[in-house]
Amino acid sequence: ELQALIIPIILFVPVWFRFWAPELLMKWDGRDRCIYIPFHGWDRTYFEENSAKIDQWVVHELAHATWEALGGEHETGGDGNTWRMWDEGFAHFVADEWFREFYPPGTALTEDWSEFRKEGKRKIAALVAEKGDGILAEIPTRWREFEAT
């Protein structure tokens, strides 16, 4: 039984360090921020398909950096899922809608996101439709206010 437990741990730990530890360390250790683009699943089978999506992924991650630059907070206790929904919604709206016309020809824009992310994007889109484009600069610092209404 112990041997059956050890083998998955030996296989899992290197995978975790390879894919998740860099992201966690770069985002949360207090050092200068960087843009991290995950390359999960980039084997030969999916390389061409994923290469066509990389522009959208880069803009998505840059939108997270914009959230921070505009004063948006990181998860700081409380309901972290609500914060994350607004942050991800902001990043998806910016990458999927705001910059849509600027992507080079051949860029594959995906809408295949989780319902959680889609809900955040819908909230951002509704605010932009109601209040105009300028509200995007305010959402990172006022998301709690918008969530309460």
Side-chain angles (χ1 to χ4, degrees):
E1 287 182 31
L2 181 59
Q3 193 173 30
L5 180 63
I6 291 174
I7 291 173
I9 290 172
I10 291 171
L11 294 175
F12 175 76
V13 170
V15 170
W16 188 88
F17 275 107
R18 166 65 179 89
F19 291 114
W20 295 108
E23 181 175 4
L24 294 173
L25 293 173
M26 285 188 272
K27 289 187 176 182
W28 307 113
D29 71 352
R31 291 185 285 166
D32 291 336
R33 302 287 186 233
C34 66
I35 305 301
Y36 175 73
I37 310 299
F39 288 94
H40 309 315
W42 279 69
D43 61 16
R44 290 176 193 224
T45 308
Y46 301 106
F47 185 81
E48 190 171 316
E49 176 186 340
N50 286 341
S51 294
K53 298 175 186 175
I54 192 68
D55 291 323
Q56 183 184 23
W57 294 348
V58 169
V59 173
H60 174 92
E61 295 306 325
L62 287 170
H64 284 301
T66 302
W67 172 278
E68 287 182 40
L70 290 171
E73 61 189 85
H74 282 297
E75 183 176 359
T76 55
D79 185 4
N81 282 333
T82 304
W83 161 82
R84 185 169 178 256
M85 181 182 59
W86 281 92
D87 184 33
E88 289 296 340
F90 181 87
H92 281 290
F93 181 84
V94 168
D96 303 351
E97 306 300 331
W98 187 255
F99 285 109
R100 181 178 289 270
E101 67 187 82
F102 297 104
Y103 289 112
T107 300
L109 298 179
T110 183
E111 300 282 336
D112 187 23
W113 308 116
S114 68
E115 191 54 40
F116 175 82
R117 291 168 184 252
K118 288 177 184 177
E119 177 62 22
K121 182 178 167 182
R122 282 191 291 269
K123 287 180 180 246
I124 303 296
L127 278 170
V128 170
E130 177 187 341
K131 300 180 182 290
D133 296 338
I135 198 66
L136 279 172
E138 298 178 34
I139 292 171
T141 56
R142 296 179 58 198
W143 67 268
R144 289 179 197 272
E145 172 188 334
F146 299 132
E147 179 66 21
T149 59

